[in-house]
Amino acid sequence: MPLHSSNKAQTMAEGSADTEAEIQKRLQELVDHLYTFRDHYFETHSVEDAARKQYDVEKEMEKTIAQMDEIDDTWKSKAFFLMLRGKALNVTPNHSQEAEDALSKAVKLDPGLVEGWNQLGEVYWKKMDVAAAKTCFLGALNHCKNKVSLRNLSMVMRQQRSQDSEENSRNIMDSVKEAKQAVQMDPQDGTSWYILGNAYLSLFFCTGQNPKISQQALNAYVQAERVDKTASSNPDLHLNRATLCKYEERFEGALEGFSQAAALEPSWTEPVMREQQLLDYLGKLCGLLSNKGKIRGKRLQNMLSSLTPSLLGHFGGSGGLEFKPLSSLEPGRNPGCVVLGRVVFSLMPEERVPFTFGLVDAEGTCYAVMVYNMVESWGVLIADSVTIPDPQLKQHNIKHKGQMFSFQSIRVDSPVQLLVNGKPQGPSTQASAIVAYRPQSD
């Protein structure tokens, strides 16, 4: 049973009769209750209370520390006491020097204290000392294979930066491997599933954006929420999944994710900013599409009248692809087809991905074209002709907070797939994607 300030005298009197195991059990119950309060906060509070969460957790921590400090001084130099006290102090998202000091003493007294190493690693992680955090998690694994060290090591591996791109790729592959092992040790642990999702997210963006890997990331996030109801109250999960949804042009899901992350952590400005940036982008895009970039009349007619078959390049002629108007495309990939049009506007979102332009064909149909993985210097100009083979069409009908956006777009995974003014775009136009997500708070 937990200790309370009202029975301090009784506790002190009984302290000598309590065994070390009994004292440890009481302290463990106190710390477990503190973490349950934090992790299940939204089961007893509404989302409207999100702004109070950190304050409430800090107050609960102070109460827990006060109750722990009532224990007889006999036990306060013991490794288990120092570890549990350090863990309680480590409950908040910010680095605590008190927690670091207590946990450092604990593992020195008992180097086999696996939970102590894991907690100390998390303290260093919050301090942004990645090397020290890695040492702690590896130290814990040397004593005992455990899911917490494995998934924390997965986080660390993704944060190791090198000038060697191959080494960075190996680190992310190792990150996936460690996270998978953590899930295998306990498939019912939502945190491990969430961290595996983040590992797949990183792998997706560093290895050519394989759609199978993006699906693995999304599946891991779904599994995290399925096995652990507290995962739905994790703002980082919502932001990271929204980032992936945006890249996959699931714009409504992205907006919902950014909005939910902001609601769960009101002091965190990034989700609000990214939600608004996406809304602004979609609003501008729909406006430009509706008026064809404000290019009208004779100028537009002249641009379209010069769309000749020669601009199809090697995609046209005998044995080439079937030339089709934009309006005849079916949702999804259209293999064996090629479309051609003129650029009437270009639009770059705040995160610079995707490069977006409006394409009008000879019939006057205007669709958006979204190009990914281009170098910063690549782009197209108004009046350029663009040829797109095997176009991948998507119909967007997005609703979010009273706003609606409806338009058609063609996705292009690399500029090397295109002809611009009849000319192929060389390999130098392609670059790896850059993604913003929140790895430091896995």
Side-chain angles (χ1 to χ4, degrees):
M1 56 185 292
L3 305 177
H4 299 282
S5 56
S6 60
N7 63 3
K8 178 177 180 181
Q10 180 182 353
T11 301
M12 295 289 285
E14 294 176 352
S16 58
D18 289 335
T19 65
E20 184 169 332
E22 289 170 335
I23 293 292
Q24 187 167 347
K25 181 183 178 184
R26 292 184 188 182
L27 294 171
Q28 187 70 59
E29 287 174 351
L30 282 172
V31 177
D32 288 348
H33 178 270
L34 171 61
Y35 275 77
T36 298
F37 178 84
R38 182 195 70 178
D39 297 339
H40 297 261
Y41 185 84
F42 291 106
E43 292 174 30
T44 55
H45 298 75
S46 69
V47 175
E48 286 71 27
D49 294 325
R52 286 184 50 88
K53 181 181 177 182
Q54 186 167 338
Y55 174 82
D56 289 345
V57 170
E58 288 176 358
K59 287 300 177 185
E60 193 71 19
M61 178 194 73
E62 291 170 4
K63 184 172 77 173
T64 301
I65 293 297
Q67 291 171 338
M68 294 179 74
D69 285 344
E70 292 172 0
I71 196 72
D72 192 301
D73 288 346
T74 304
W75 308 106
K76 291 184 179 177
S77 61
K78 295 282 188 177
F80 76 79
F81 177 87
L82 291 166
M83 186 275 290
L84 289 170
R85 193 174 195 278
K87 182 177 179 179
L89 290 163
N90 197 30
V91 74
T92 64
N94 302 319
H95 172 262
S96 165
Q97 189 60 50
E98 276 190 272
E100 181 179 335
D101 294 342
L103 292 164
S104 296
K105 291 177 184 176
V107 295
K108 285 178 183 177
L109 288 169
D110 184 359
L113 201 57
V114 171
E115 190 174 11
W117 283 114
N118 283 332
Q119 286 292 323
L120 184 58
E122 290 185 21
V123 168
Y124 285 129
W125 180 254
K126 293 173 184 178
K127 197 179 180 179
M128 300 306 292
D129 190 340
V130 176
K134 182 179 180 180
T135 298
C136 291
F137 300 139
L138 288 172
L141 288 168
N142 285 336
H143 291 287
C144 174
K145 184 178 179 181
N146 66 96
K147 64 182 181 182
V148 176
S149 298
L150 287 167
R151 69 194 186 203
N152 286 347
L153 193 57
S154 172
M155 292 159 49
V156 168
M157 297 302 294
R158 295 198 302 278
Q159 284 298 288
Q160 292 191 133
R161 295 289 182 261
S162 168
Q163 298 296 321
D164 185 348
S165 59
E166 289 187 9
E167 184 178 343
N168 288 332
S169 295
R170 283 195 300 271
N171 286 339
I172 292 175
M173 292 293 291
D174 287 342
S175 170
V176 173
K177 178 183 174 183
E178 304 294 350
K180 277 185 175 179
Q181 288 189 61
V183 166
Q184 289 166 1
M185 290 193 73
D186 184 2
Q188 299 304 308
D189 190 305
T191 302
S192 296
W193 278 110
Y194 161 64
I195 289 175
L196 178 59
N198 287 351
Y200 278 131
L201 178 67
S202 295
L203 184 63
F204 174 75
F205 283 106
C206 87
T207 57
Q209 297 82 54
N210 185 327
K212 290 183 179 179
I213 297 175
S214 68
Q215 193 56 53
Q216 286 174 307
L218 290 170
N219 289 344
Y221 292 141
V222 169
Q223 194 70 2
E225 291 186 296
R226 191 184 73 80
V227 302
D228 182 1
K229 55 187 175 182
T230 66
S232 294
S233 61
N234 181 349
D236 303 277
L237 184 151
H238 289 286
L239 180 119
N240 291 347
R241 181 165 54 193
T243 298
L244 193 54
C245 285
K246 178 180 177 292
Y247 187 87
E248 294 201 329
E249 297 175 9
R250 304 181 188 184
F251 296 122
E252 190 166 320
L255 289 166
E256 290 172 356
F258 292 139
S259 179
Q260 187 65 9
L264 290 167
E265 194 168 330
S267 62
W268 189 18
T269 59
E270 185 178 354
V272 178
M273 176 188 70
R274 294 180 64 186
E275 179 187 6
Q276 190 57 53
Q277 286 176 346
L278 183 50
L279 286 170
D280 291 344
Y281 166 76
L282 293 171
K284 290 175 184 176
L285 179 58
C286 287
L288 288 165
L289 287 169
S290 67
N291 60 26
K292 299 177 183 176
K294 298 183 179 180
I295 298 177
R296 296 188 182 91
K298 195 169 183 180
R299 185 185 178 198
L300 183 59
Q301 289 176 6
N302 289 338
M303 287 167 58
L304 300 181
S305 65
S306 59
L307 286 172
T308 61
S310 63
L311 295 172
L312 295 174
H314 60 276
F315 296 123
S318 60
L321 304 179
E322 182 183 359
F323 179 39
K324 283 194 172 185
L326 291 171
S327 60
S328 70
L329 297 179
E330 298 290 335
R333 191 168 293 281
N334 291 259
C337 301
V338 62
V339 295
L340 170 66
R342 292 282 183 189
V343 177
V344 291
F345 68 82
S346 63
L347 177 65
M348 183 75 80
E350 290 289 335
E351 294 178 338
R352 304 193 65 78
V353 177
F355 181 88
T356 307
F357 61 89
L359 190 73
V360 177
D361 70 0
E363 290 187 346
T365 303
C366 186
Y367 285 177
V369 179
M370 300 180 179
V371 184
Y372 296 81
N373 303 317
M374 69 288 167
V375 294
E376 192 170 335
S377 59
W378 185 87
V380 292
L381 302 175
I382 290 174
D384 280 348
S385 75
V386 177
T387 305
I388 308 174
D390 302 328
Q392 185 177 348
L393 180 72
K394 186 164 186 178
Q395 171 66 51
H396 301 273
N397 293 293
I398 304 156
K399 297 179 182 179
H400 185 69
K401 294 183 177 178
Q403 298 187 61
M404 296 182 64
F405 309 95
S406 295
F407 61 95
Q408 291 83 16
S409 71
I410 296 174
R411 182 187 181 99
V412 178
D413 290 326
S414 167
V416 299
Q417 297 172 352
L418 304 174
L419 300 183
V420 178
N421 298 322
K423 298 177 181 178
Q425 304 299 284
S428 62
T429 64
Q430 179 172 307
S432 298
I434 298 173
V435 62
Y437 79 111
R438 196 186 191 192
Q440 70 271 18
S441 301
D442 290 69

